[in-house]
Amino acid sequence: SQKIEQNSEALNIQEGKTATLTCNYTNYSPAYLQWYRQDPGRGPVFLLLIRENEKEKRKERLKVTFDTTLKQSLFHITASQPADSATYLCARDNYGQNFVFGPGTRLSVLP
Amino acid sequence: GAGVSQSPSNKVTEKGKDVELRCDPISGHTALYWYRQSLGQGLEFLIYFQGNSAPDKSGLPSDRFSAERTGGSVSTLTIQRTQQEDSAVYLCASSVTTSGGNEQFFGPGTRLTVL
């Protein structure tokens, strides 16, 4: 079965630093990897997606990479702020099918 | 326009009762997903409606769970003879197309508590 692992259950960093979250997948590379943010008591909100043939994608302070050799995606938040504190979810998207979410990493940005 | 809505927002039921959870996706969205999220856990895929094609039911945990999507719009998730382990937040999401590479828009979820 296709699995998604996010290697840190929780991550604490200091405000202003870069947060780096890791997502690893098993078996074949999905067509896309997607990243979502989830705040307590709310549904996830989409942040970024990256295609299998893309190495890197950026959006404002966010950057996502996709390494098919390592079967890994890295999610970076630069100049982190306390408002970035949330749970971040990685998901594999194989053309809409077999959509699998990882367990999430709870990020806390300390002032 | 309106986002994905779900009702009820909270449901408390007794073990053995049946429950129906409703999802109103964004108008025009072809794909609709149901997930379950237990406390402190990730999202567990339940079922995927992909336009006019047969739904992917591979994530439904038992035959007590069923779902339908009428007219390509509203979806209902039904849990029969509820058990305490069914307690969780049930999330619905919709997406523009079924081809992948599109963001999923999530509803606020229904928190189900089985006593």
Side-chain angles (χ1 to χ4, degrees):
Chain A
S1 64
Q2 314 305 321
K3 287 187 178 179
I4 288 277
E5 296 171 349
Q6 294 186 247
N7 69 341
S8 296
E9 199 173 299
L11 180 65
N12 296 331
I13 64 165
Q14 210 64 40
E15 182 176 7
K17 300 291 186 184
T18 296
T20 298
L21 285 64
T22 304
C23 172
N24 294 291
Y25 60 88
T26 61
N27 299 326
Y28 61 85
S29 291
Y32 311 90
L33 280 168
Q34 300 198 16
W35 284 87
Y36 289 77
R37 169 183 173 141
Q38 187 174 25
D39 291 285
R42 295 179 174 270
V45 174
F46 172 80
L47 295 174
L48 276 175
L49 74 80
I50 186 166
R51 291 178 173 76
E52 183 183 11
N53 60 0
E54 294 178 316
K55 295 275 190 230
E56 182 180 299
K57 197 85 167 279
R58 290 176 185 262
K59 179 181 174 182
E60 297 172 354
R61 295 185 295 113
L62 308 180
K63 184 177 86 170
V64 174
T65 63
F66 194 163
D67 188 326
T68 56
T69 302
L70 294 178
K71 297 190 176 182
Q72 182 179 85
S73 174
L74 298 179
F75 178 81
H76 305 272
I77 306 175
T78 58
S80 59
Q81 305 165 0
D84 295 326
S85 298
T87 296
Y88 291 85
L89 304 168
C90 170
R92 61 180 299 153
D93 168 10
N94 203 43
Y95 302 106
Q97 310 273 352
N98 302 316
F99 216 97
V100 178
F101 278 86
T105 295
R106 189 172 65 253
L107 174 68
S108 297
V109 181
L110 308 172
Chain B
V4 177
S5 61
Q6 292 186 246
S7 60
S9 55
N10 277 287
K11 177 72 177 178
V12 179
T13 190
E14 292 179 349
K15 179 180 170 182
K17 301 279 190 185
D18 298 350
V19 294
E20 280 190 356
L21 312 179
R22 177 186 168 109
C23 172
D24 279 273
I26 293 173
S27 177
H29 278 196
T30 310
L32 189 148
Y33 301 80
W34 280 98
Y35 298 92
R36 176 168 73 173
Q37 188 170 35
S38 301
L39 189 63
Q41 303 297 309
L43 276 70
E44 175 190 2
F45 165 77
L46 296 177
I47 188 169
Y48 166 43
F49 292 93
Q50 39 189 341
N52 295 324
S53 302
D56 175 2
K57 303 179 182 180
S58 61
L60 294 178
S62 77
D63 59 8
R64 296 186 296 105
F65 288 71
S66 63
E68 61 177 24
R69 188 177 185 191
T70 52
S73 181
V74 171
S75 178
T76 302
L77 177 69
T78 301
I79 309 174
Q80 295 179 310
R81 305 181 303 281
T82 51
Q83 304 294 313
Q84 288 183 329
E85 61 261 28
D86 299 334
S87 296
V89 175
Y90 289 80
L91 289 159
C92 171
S94 70
S95 185
V96 172
T97 72
T98 58
S99 58
N102 296 291
E103 67 176 285
Q104 294 193 11
F105 293 83
F106 281 83
T110 293
R111 180 175 298 280
L112 175 66
T113 303
V114 182
L115 302 176

